[in-house]
Amino acid sequence: MVMKNKSKVKVIPLGGLGEIGKNMTAIEYDNEIIVIDCGLGFPDMEMYGVDLVIPDITYLLNNRDKVKGVMLTHGHEDHIGALPYVLKQLNVPVYGTRLTLGLVESKLEEHEMLSNCTLLEVKTGEEVKTENFRIEFIRSCHSIADACALAIHTPEGVIVHTGDFKVDYMPIDGDVIDLHQFAKLGSRGVLLLMADSTNVERPGYTVSERIIGDNLTGIFSKAKGRVIVATFASNTNRIQQIINSSLFYGRKVAFSGRSMEKISSMAMELGYMKLSEDQLISVDDINKYPSDKITIITTGSQGEPMAALSRIAYSNHRKITIEKGDVVIISASPIPGNEKLISKLIDELFRKGAEVIYNALEEVHVSGHACQEELKLMHTLIKPKFFMPVHGEYRHLKQHELLAENLGMDSKNIFVLENGQVLELNRNSAARSAKVTCGTVMIDGLGIGDVGNIVLRDRKHLSQDGVVTIVVTIDKASFSILSGPDIITRGFVYMKESGDLINEARGVVKAELDKCMESKIKDWFTIKSNIKYSLGGFLYNKTRRRPIILPIIMET
Amino acid sequence: MVMKNKSKVKVIPLGGLGEIGKNMTAIEYDNEIIVIDCGLGFPDMEMYGVDLVIPDITYLLNNRDKVKGVMLTHGHEDHIGALPYVLKQLNVPVYGTRLTLGLVESKLEEHEMLSNCTLLEVKTGEEVKTENFRIEFIRSCHSIADACALAIHTPEGVIVHTGDFKVDYMPIDGDVIDLHQFAKLGSRGVLLLMADSTNVERPGYTVSERIIGDNLTGIFSKAKGRVIVATFASNTNRIQQIINSSLFYGRKVAFSGRSMEKISSMAMELGYMKLSEDQLISVDDINKYPSDKITIITTGSQGEPMAALSRIAYSNHRKITIEKGDVVIISASPIPGNEKLISKLIDELFRKGAEVIYNALEEVHVSGHACQEELKLMHTLIKPKFFMPVHGEYRHLKQHELLAENLGMDSKNIFVLENGQVLELNRNSAARSAKVTCGTVMIDGLGIGDVGNIVLRDRKHLSQDGVVTIVVTIDKASFSILSGPDIITRGFVYMKESGDLINEARGVVKAELDKCMESKIKDWFTIKSNIKYSLGGFLYNKTRRRPIILPIIMET
C-alpha cells in the first residue's frame, strides 16, 4: 500500500479553477512538489476595500520541505502577481523565461525583496530537472511575449499544461508556437492535459495580432491630430505594432503611465521591443512637435480612475490634455466588471472632443486565448489519456469538457475540478481524492488576510446605509445620565437637513435609557441591545434604511 | 420680440441623454408643455445604497400650469418608472396604449395612488389634442408589446420621436411597425427627428424575435428534463414564444417571481398573451408532473440576488430546486454593470448540475433596439430637417450623429445635447438655447433626494476602510479625562485579532489629548482635528488604510 501511494502523481489546483485569476497549481510526487504559476486575482464586487486577492498556500506551507520551485508560464499578473506575498513565506527558486523574470524582478524590487530571491532563467526548449520531475518549457503564444507551455515528465507519465495560449501563425515576435513539440509529445503519449478554457465559448479562431496591427495602421493613416493608444503595458507585441505604425507616419512616441513607462523601458532593454532613440520622446516634450507627429501610448484601458487615460479624460493629468482632433484608441477589451468604468471613460473622451475608437467600432484588440478551433487543434495534437480543463470560470470548464467529449474523449476521463480538489494519477488511472486547504487571501493595504468576512459584511452594510453612533455618559454611582445622548451619523442622511429626524432619534434613545433605569437594568449589554432595537426600528420606519447602530456608554 | 419667443418650440431633455435610463423629454410651446415618458434609472456604482434614480423635474414644477400631460411610448421601467414619484408632485393626465397603462396601473396601485391619477388610453393611429399640439401615437416595435413612436404636430412643424424601436418584419404579435405612417410624415415634411441611439454601434439589422422562438423550440426539442427560462417579465412576446414551444412539446407552464406572475396574469387578461387554463400550473404543483412536461418561466435574468432564478440557483427558493437534467435558458442579455452577477449565477447553476444556455452559446435573446441599417431606414423615411439623437450614452449619440452625417445630413442640423440643454426650433431654424435645471434625484428607501454627495462620499469611504470611533469623557471644570478614550471600529480591522493595534491607537489618542491639555487648548474643534490627524497618520502607517475617524468628546 505504501508503494501504491508513492507511485501516484497528485495534481493540486490552488487557484484558477472556477475563476479567472490567481492561477496556481501544485504537482506532487513522493517527496517533491513543483508549483506552476503564482498569480493574483481581483477582488469580487462584495470585497469592499480589498486591493487584491492571492491563493491560500497553507498546503504548501505544511509541505514546505517538498517544494522545489515555482515554474512560471508567462508574466501576467494572474500568473506572477502573488509571488511577493508567497515568496515571503516560502522562499523557493522561481523559474521562467527572460521577459517573465524581468517582470518578476521589477515586482520584487518594489517589495524590496529581490536580493533575497532566486530567479532562474529558462529558455524555451530547455528543461528544469528535480529528482522526480523533468519540466520542459515549450514556446507558446499569448498576449505577452515569452509565454510558455510546460511538459512535466513524471515517473507516471507526461503532464502537459498549456499555460495561457492561442495559435497565431503570423506572430509579431518571430517564432510560431511550437506545434511540433506538442505533436511529438502527443505521439509518444501524454497522461494528462491541462488546457486554457478562457475562450472556449467562442467558435472559430482568434484573429492574428498582425491583423490588429493592420487595423491600427489604417487608423493612423487617417488621423489628423495626435494618436493616443491605451493598451496593457505588458502587451509588448501590441506596443511594437503601435510603434511601427507611428514610425511609418513619422510620429514620435511618448509613454504615459507608471507601468507603461517601466515595462516598456525594460522590454526595450531586454530586446522585446524596438524603438530608436530619436523616435522616443518624453511626455514633457509632446508640445514641441506638431499634433500629427505625436503618438502617446498609455495605461488606463480598463478605465481605472487613477491610470493615465482617466486622468487625461477627466483633465487631471499634469501634462496631457485632450485637444480637438485627438484620436484615442482603446486597444483592449474590458475585464469583466470594468464595463461601466470604461464606458464612462469613452463618453468623457468624446465630450472633451476626441474621436474615440474601441472594439465595438473597429477591431483594435484581440484576445490572447484560444477559441474552439485552436483548442481542438491542441487536444488533437496532445491526444491525452486524461483531461482537466483549467483557467476559467466554472461554466468555461464545463464547456471545455463538452468540447473534449465532442472530440471523442470518454467523459469519465475528464475531470472538472474546483480549487483544492486533488487529482491523483498513475500511468493507468486517474481519480479525485481528498480536498486540501485552499481559498482566497484578501490583501488590503499592508494587511494580508486580516480582512475577513465580518469586516466585509460591515463594510457592505456601511456602504448601503451608513453608521449611526450614539454616545451617552453615565454616572456609575447614581446611575444617571451625565451627558448625552449625542448622535453622530456618517453615510446615513445629510445631518444638516435631517435635524428633526436626529432630534426625534435622540428622544427615542433617551426614552429607552429612562426605561432601563426605571427597570433597574444595569447591564450594559442589555441596555445597548435595547437601544439598538428601538432606534433601529424607529429609523427603519422613518427611512426604510438600516444603518449600523453603535451605542457607546461611558461610565465616570 | 415677444412674438418671436412665442413662435418657438422648445425641446427640453430632462433625462435619457448621455445615459441609458430615466428617459424624459418636455416639449414646450407658448403656454403648453407635454412630457414624453417618465422613466427611472439604475444607480451608478458610486451611488452606494441608492435604490433608483429619477429625473429632476424642477423645470416642470416651476411651470406646473403649463404641463398638459405625459405621453408614454411604452411600458419599460426606464420610460414609466418615475411616474409614482413625479405624479405625487405634478398630477397630470397620463396617456398611453393599453399594455403600457396596464403596467402603470399596477405600479400606481403598489404606491396606493391609483385612484388619484388619470390614465387615458390611446390606440395606435389615434391622436391626443391640446391647444397647440396634436400628438399622434404610431405603432412601433420593441421588446415589449404595444410600443409607440410619437409624431408631435406643433404650430412650427412635426417632431417625430421614435421611442425605443427596432424593425421586425415578422413580429410575434401581428402588425408590423407602421412604416407607411413614417413615410407619409416624411413626405409631408418633418421638422425634427428624435431617434433611439442604443444600438447605433452595431452594424446590420436586429434579428427577428421569431428567430429566437425557433432557437428556443430547438432547445426544447432536445431537453430531457425541466426547462427553466429566465427573461424580462415585460417581454410578453418572448414569453408567448416560450409558451408556444412548451405547448408543442406538451409541457405545462408555471410562472415564478413576483413581477413575472403579476405581469403575465395582467398580459393574459388584456389579451397580450395566450395560455390555456389547463396548460398553466402553479409552482406548487410542478412536482405532480414528470420533469419533461414542465416549463418554468422566471425572473432573475440579470442575476439579481433576490430574484427567483438566483434563489433557485443558490438553493434559497422554497419551491424549486435544481435537478440534474434541468435545462436553464437565460433569455436576456446583461444590462451593463450586471455582467459579473450573471456570470456567477450561470456558474452556480452549472455547479448544481443544470445545463445552462445563454447568449454566448446560442442565440436565445435579441435586443429591442434598432441597429445601423434600421436606423438608416428610419432616417431615410423621415427625412427630417433637424436631428437630435436620444436614448443613449454620450458615445452613442455621437455615433448616431456620424450615421446621420454619412446619410448626407449637414452636421450643423444635428444636435447632440446633454440633459437640460434646450433646443429651440421654428419652421426654419434650430438652435441651442439656455440650460434649464435638470439632474438626478436619488431614491433610497423612503427618502427622495435626501441622499446627496456628502452622504455618498461617506458611504464610499466607509465601504473602503470602515469607521473608527473614539470617545472620551472630559470633566468640564477640571479639564481632565474622566473616562476613555475608548475606540470602537466597524469595517476597519477584525478587532479581536487586532487588539495590539487598537491599544496602541488608544495610546496615540491619549498622548494627543495630554498634549492639548498641557498646551491649554480648550477648543473642542481643534482637539478633535488634532486627534483625527495623529490617529489617521498612525493608522495609515500601520495599515495603509484611511478609515473615517469620528472623535467624540463628552463633557460632564
Side-chain angles (χ1 to χ4, degrees):
Chain A
M1 281 308 280
V2 172
M3 273 310 292
K4 200 187 157 204
N5 264 333
K6 268 202 170 171
S7 66
K8 296 240 177 168
V9 179
K10 289 185 192 167
V11 176
I12 307 160
L14 295 173
L17 299 191
E19 63 183 345
I20 301 277
K22 70 177 176 58
N23 295 286
M24 189 178 215
T25 311
I27 313 272
E28 182 171 355
Y29 183 86
D30 206 0
N31 61 335
E32 288 191 326
I33 291 175
I34 57 162
V35 178
I36 303 173
D37 289 332
C38 186
L40 59 74
F42 295 107
D44 262 8
M45 290 171 296
E46 300 274 286
M47 296 181 186
Y48 290 91
V50 171
D51 301 322
L52 48 97
V53 300
I54 59 170
D56 182 333
I57 56 162
T58 304
Y59 184 77
L60 300 179
L61 296 177
N62 288 345
N63 292 278
R64 60 165 65 240
D65 293 339
K66 290 188 174 183
V67 184
K68 300 304 162 199
V70 178
M71 315 289 145
L72 300 175
T73 59
H74 63 282
H76 278 153
E77 288 292 346
D78 58 333
H79 293 258
I80 67 167
L83 277 173
Y85 307 96
V86 168
L87 293 181
K88 257 174 218 155
Q89 300 173 73
L90 187 71
N91 195 352
V92 295
V94 176
Y95 300 85
T97 49
R98 203 162 173 212
L99 181 66
T100 306
L101 291 191
L103 290 160
V104 171
E105 247 182 65
S106 100
K107 187 170 285 297
L108 295 177
E109 221 158 36
E110 263 179 48
H111 282 79
E112 293 173 7
M113 52 190 289
L114 180 57
S115 56
N116 299 319
C117 299
T118 313
L119 306 185
L120 299 168
E121 191 183 319
V122 187
K123 290 195 174 59
T124 55
E126 290 182 353
E127 295 180 348
V128 174
K129 280 183 190 148
T130 72
E131 202 184 315
N132 296 294
F133 297 114
R134 199 152 54 77
I135 303 113
E136 203 185 325
F137 283 66
I138 303 169
R139 181 172 178 90
S140 182
C141 178
H142 187 41
S143 46
I144 185 170
D146 249 9
C148 297
L150 301 175
I152 300 139
H153 300 262
T154 79
E156 295 300 312
V158 180
I159 298 174
V160 172
H161 190 298
T162 65
D164 296 8
F165 83 105
K166 64 177 172 178
V167 178
D168 191 338
Y169 298 109
M170 308 180 290
I172 300 308
D173 50 352
D175 296 330
V176 153
I177 176 173
D178 195 349
L179 296 175
H180 299 87
Q181 189 58 20
F182 291 116
K184 200 157 130 194
L185 288 162
S187 54
R188 289 181 183 171
V190 168
L191 181 65
L192 174 71
L193 171 66
M194 301 167 75
D196 181 359
S197 311
T198 316
N199 272 349
V200 69
E201 292 172 340
R202 300 196 196 166
Y205 263 94
T206 307
V207 165
S208 170
E209 179 65 36
R210 209 172 282 270
I211 304 295
I212 304 305
D214 295 346
N215 294 348
L216 290 173
T217 305
I219 296 167
F220 273 79
S221 76
K222 285 175 279 181
K224 294 191 176 63
R226 300 182 304 184
V227 177
I228 302 173
V229 193
T231 193
F232 298 108
S234 63
N235 196 338
T236 48
N237 290 336
R238 178 74 45 79
I239 296 172
Q240 185 65 58
Q241 299 206 92
I242 300 165
I243 292 172
N244 295 349
S245 303
S246 302
L247 189 63
F248 192 81
Y249 289 102
R251 287 175 184 264
K252 305 282 179 192
V253 173
F255 293 104
S256 164
R258 207 174 63 96
S259 66
M260 187 61 80
E261 290 168 42
K262 204 165 140 183
I263 296 181
S264 62
S265 102
M266 187 200 63
M268 286 186 277
E269 233 178 85
L270 297 182
Y272 289 90
M273 235 165 71
K274 281 176 196 66
L275 175 62
S276 66
E277 252 176 55
D278 70 307
Q279 201 193 349
L280 175 67
I281 61 168
S282 150
V283 281
D284 292 318
D285 296 333
I286 50 173
N287 294 324
K288 296 183 183 159
Y289 301 86
S291 297
D292 64 345
K293 294 296 168 216
I294 291 288
T295 299
I296 300 168
I297 305 177
T298 173
T299 54
S301 66
Q302 294 302 308
E304 311 92 318
M306 300 307 292
L309 189 59
S310 280
R311 285 186 283 123
I312 295 171
Y314 294 99
S315 305
N316 296 323
H317 197 286
R318 283 179 307 127
K319 291 165 186 169
I320 309 170
T321 329
I322 290 293
E323 298 164 4
K324 206 163 165 60
D326 282 349
V327 176
V328 180
I329 304 172
I330 314 280
S331 183
S333 57
I335 294 172
N338 292 344
E339 293 83 356
K340 276 202 131 176
L341 275 176
I342 298 173
S343 157
K344 286 181 99 168
L345 173 65
I346 293 174
D347 288 334
E348 195 58 31
L349 288 163
F350 268 121
R351 283 200 175 94
K352 294 282 158 66
E355 182 189 345
V356 194
I357 297 170
Y358 45 103
N359 243 15
L361 302 180
E362 292 192 44
E363 202 162 25
V364 289
H365 174 69
V366 70
S367 165
H369 298 273
C371 294
Q372 287 169 6
E373 295 307 311
E374 291 150 276
L375 292 172
K376 288 179 193 166
L377 172 62
M378 186 59 83
H379 281 262
T380 303
L381 287 177
I382 298 290
K383 296 188 296 182
K385 194 172 278 180
F386 302 107
F387 169 53
M388 172 178 162
V390 298
H391 205 284
E393 304 281 357
Y394 194 77
R395 68 180 183 284
H396 299 130
L397 309 182
K398 291 297 285 184
Q399 293 301 317
H400 207 166
E401 176 184 39
L402 197 65
L403 179 137
E405 283 175 13
N406 287 340
L407 290 173
M409 197 161 194
D410 193 333
S411 70
K412 71 175 193 303
N413 292 337
I414 305 172
F415 295 89
V416 174
L417 301 183
E418 304 252 18
N419 291 332
Q421 223 159 46
V422 177
L423 181 68
E424 280 196 351
L425 305 114
N426 64 18
R427 57 189 68 241
N428 302 310
S429 71
R432 286 154 202 256
S433 79
K435 287 199 81 172
V436 304
T437 305
C438 76
T440 296
V441 175
M442 290 179 273
I443 302 199
D444 178 7
L446 295 182
I448 304 178
D450 69 333
V451 169
N453 287 334
I454 297 178
V455 172
L456 287 184
R457 192 197 57 196
D458 284 347
R459 285 185 185 171
K460 180 179 180 179
H461 193 159
L462 289 166
S463 79
Q464 298 296 305
D465 292 323
V467 59
V468 172
T469 307
I470 307 113
V471 195
V472 60
T473 307
I474 286 180
D475 183 60
K476 224 188 305 193
S478 67
F479 199 58
S480 62
I481 297 174
L482 283 177
S483 160
D486 279 4
I487 291 187
I488 291 167
T489 81
R490 283 292 184 281
F492 171 54
V493 289
Y494 189 45
M495 282 189 76
K496 283 199 181 147
E497 288 181 358
S498 307
D500 291 349
L501 179 71
I502 300 298
N503 278 336
E504 282 181 67
R506 200 177 286 124
V508 170
V509 175
K510 181 83 171 51
E512 189 58 47
L513 277 168
D514 289 345
K515 218 164 71 187
C516 290
M517 285 167 178
E518 270 170 39
S519 332
K520 308 269 185 239
I521 300 174
K522 290 197 176 187
D523 135 46
W524 295 143
F525 183 80
T526 308
I527 297 177
K528 284 182 187 175
S529 294
N530 290 358
I531 291 176
K532 269 193 194 180
Y533 183 82
S534 342
L535 184 60
F538 169 79
L539 294 176
Y540 183 75
N541 272 337
K542 288 283 182 179
T543 65
R544 288 287 181 280
R545 297 174 204 168
R546 296 195 186 280
I548 286 191
I549 297 177
L550 288 184
I552 305 174
I553 302 176
M554 305 290 284
E555 294 179 281
T556 63
Chain B
M1 282 309 281
V2 173
M3 272 310 290
K4 198 186 158 208
N5 264 332
K6 269 202 167 173
S7 66
K8 296 241 178 168
V9 178
K10 289 185 192 167
V11 176
I12 306 160
L14 295 173
L17 299 191
E19 62 183 346
I20 301 277
K22 72 177 175 59
N23 295 286
M24 188 178 214
T25 311
I27 312 273
E28 182 170 355
Y29 184 88
D30 206 1
N31 61 335
E32 287 191 328
I33 292 176
I34 57 161
V35 178
I36 302 172
D37 289 331
C38 185
L40 60 74
F42 295 106
D44 263 6
M45 293 169 295
E46 300 275 286
M47 296 180 186
Y48 290 90
V50 171
D51 302 321
L52 50 96
V53 300
I54 59 170
D56 181 334
I57 58 162
T58 303
Y59 184 79
L60 299 180
L61 297 177
N62 288 345
N63 292 278
R64 59 165 65 240
D65 294 340
K66 289 187 176 186
V67 184
K68 299 305 162 199
V70 178
M71 315 288 147
L72 300 176
T73 59
H74 63 283
H76 278 154
E77 287 293 345
D78 58 332
H79 293 257
I80 67 167
L83 278 172
Y85 307 96
V86 168
L87 293 181
K88 258 175 216 153
Q89 300 173 74
L90 188 71
N91 195 349
V92 296
V94 176
Y95 300 87
T97 50
R98 203 162 171 211
L99 181 67
T100 307
L101 291 191
L103 289 160
V104 171
E105 247 181 66
S106 99
K107 188 171 284 300
L108 296 177
E109 223 158 35
E110 263 178 51
H111 282 79
E112 292 172 7
M113 52 191 288
L114 180 57
S115 57
N116 298 320
C117 299
T118 312
L119 306 186
L120 299 167
E121 190 183 320
V122 187
K123 289 195 175 57
T124 54
E126 291 182 351
E127 296 180 347
V128 174
K129 281 183 190 150
T130 72
E131 202 183 314
N132 296 294
F133 297 114
R134 198 152 54 77
I135 304 113
E136 204 184 323
F137 283 65
I138 303 169
R139 180 171 178 89
S140 182
C141 178
H142 187 41
S143 48
I144 186 170
D146 248 10
C148 297
L150 301 174
I152 300 140
H153 300 261
T154 80
E156 295 300 312
V158 180
I159 298 173
V160 173
H161 190 298
T162 64
D164 296 7
F165 84 105
K166 64 177 171 178
V167 179
D168 191 338
Y169 298 109
M170 307 180 292
I172 301 306
D173 50 351
D175 297 330
V176 154
I177 176 172
D178 195 348
L179 296 175
H180 299 86
Q181 189 57 21
F182 290 116
K184 199 158 132 192
L185 289 162
S187 55
R188 288 180 185 172
V190 168
L191 181 65
L192 174 71
L193 171 66
M194 301 166 77
D196 182 358
S197 311
T198 316
N199 273 350
V200 69
E201 293 172 340
R202 301 197 194 166
Y205 262 94
T206 307
V207 164
S208 170
E209 180 64 36
R210 207 170 282 270
I211 303 295
I212 304 305
D214 295 345
N215 295 348
L216 290 172
T217 305
I219 296 167
F220 272 79
S221 76
K222 286 175 281 181
K224 293 191 176 62
R226 300 182 302 182
V227 177
I228 302 173
V229 193
T231 192
F232 299 107
S234 62
N235 197 337
T236 48
N237 290 336
R238 178 74 44 81
I239 296 172
Q240 184 65 60
Q241 298 206 94
I242 300 165
I243 293 172
N244 296 349
S245 301
S246 302
L247 189 63
F248 191 80
Y249 290 101
R251 287 174 183 264
K252 305 283 179 190
V253 172
F255 293 103
S256 163
R258 207 173 63 95
S259 67
M260 187 60 81
E261 291 168 41
K262 204 165 142 183
I263 296 181
S264 62
S265 102
M266 187 199 66
M268 286 186 277
E269 232 178 86
L270 298 182
Y272 290 88
M273 235 164 71
K274 280 176 196 65
L275 174 62
S276 67
E277 252 175 57
D278 70 309
Q279 200 192 349
L280 174 66
I281 62 168
S282 151
V283 281
D284 293 319
D285 296 332
I286 50 173
N287 294 325
K288 296 183 184 161
Y289 301 86
S291 297
D292 64 346
K293 294 297 168 215
I294 291 288
T295 299
I296 301 169
I297 305 176
T298 173
T299 54
S301 65
Q302 294 303 307
E304 310 93 317
M306 300 308 292
L309 189 59
S310 281
R311 286 186 283 123
I312 294 171
Y314 294 99
S315 306
N316 296 324
H317 197 284
R318 284 180 305 127
K319 290 166 185 168
I320 309 171
T321 329
I322 290 294
E323 298 164 5
K324 204 159 167 63
D326 283 348
V327 176
V328 179
I329 304 172
I330 314 279
S331 184
S333 57
I335 295 172
N338 292 345
E339 293 83 356
K340 277 201 131 178
L341 275 176
I342 297 173
S343 158
K344 287 181 96 167
L345 173 65
I346 293 173
D347 288 334
E348 195 58 31
L349 288 164
F350 268 120
R351 283 201 175 92
K352 294 283 159 66
E355 181 189 347
V356 194
I357 296 170
Y358 44 103
N359 243 17
L361 302 180
E362 292 193 44
E363 201 163 26
V364 289
H365 174 69
V366 70
S367 165
H369 298 273
C371 293
Q372 287 169 5
E373 295 307 310
E374 293 150 274
L375 292 173
K376 288 179 193 166
L377 172 62
M378 186 59 82
H379 280 261
T380 303
L381 287 177
I382 298 289
K383 297 188 294 182
K385 194 172 277 179
F386 302 107
F387 169 52
M388 172 179 163
V390 298
H391 205 286
E393 304 281 357
Y394 194 76
R395 68 180 182 285
H396 299 132
L397 308 182
K398 291 297 285 185
Q399 293 302 318
H400 207 167
E401 176 183 40
L402 197 65
L403 180 138
E405 283 174 16
N406 288 340
L407 290 172
M409 197 160 194
D410 193 331
S411 70
K412 69 175 197 299
N413 292 337
I414 305 173
F415 295 88
V416 174
L417 301 183
E418 305 251 18
N419 291 332
Q421 221 159 47
V422 177
L423 181 67
E424 280 196 350
L425 305 113
N426 64 18
R427 58 189 66 241
N428 301 311
S429 70
R432 287 154 201 257
S433 78
K435 286 199 81 169
V436 304
T437 305
C438 75
T440 296
V441 175
M442 290 178 274
I443 302 203
D444 177 6
L446 295 182
I448 303 179
D450 69 335
V451 168
N453 287 334
I454 296 177
V455 172
L456 287 185
R457 192 198 59 197
D458 284 348
R459 285 185 185 171
K460 181 180 180 179
H461 193 159
L462 289 166
S463 78
Q464 298 296 305
D465 292 323
V467 60
V468 172
T469 307
I470 307 113
V471 196
V472 61
T473 308
I474 286 178
D475 182 62
K476 223 186 311 192
S478 68
F479 199 58
S480 63
I481 297 174
L482 284 178
S483 158
D486 279 3
I487 292 188
I488 291 166
T489 81
R490 284 291 184 283
F492 171 53
V493 289
Y494 189 43
M495 280 188 78
K496 283 199 182 149
E497 288 180 359
S498 307
D500 290 350
L501 180 72
I502 300 299
N503 277 336
E504 281 182 67
R506 200 176 288 125
V508 170
V509 175
K510 181 81 171 50
E512 190 59 48
L513 277 167
D514 289 345
K515 218 163 72 186
C516 289
M517 285 169 177
E518 269 169 39
S519 332
K520 307 266 185 246
I521 300 175
K522 293 200 176 185
D523 134 46
W524 295 144
F525 183 79
T526 309
I527 297 178
K528 284 183 187 176
S529 294
N530 290 357
I531 291 177
K532 268 192 195 181
Y533 184 80
S534 342
L535 184 60
F538 168 78
L539 294 176
Y540 182 75
N541 273 335
K542 289 284 182 180
T543 65
R544 288 288 181 280
R545 298 175 202 168
R546 295 195 186 280
I548 285 192
I549 296 177
L550 288 185
I552 305 174
I553 301 175
M554 306 289 285
E555 294 178 281
T556 63

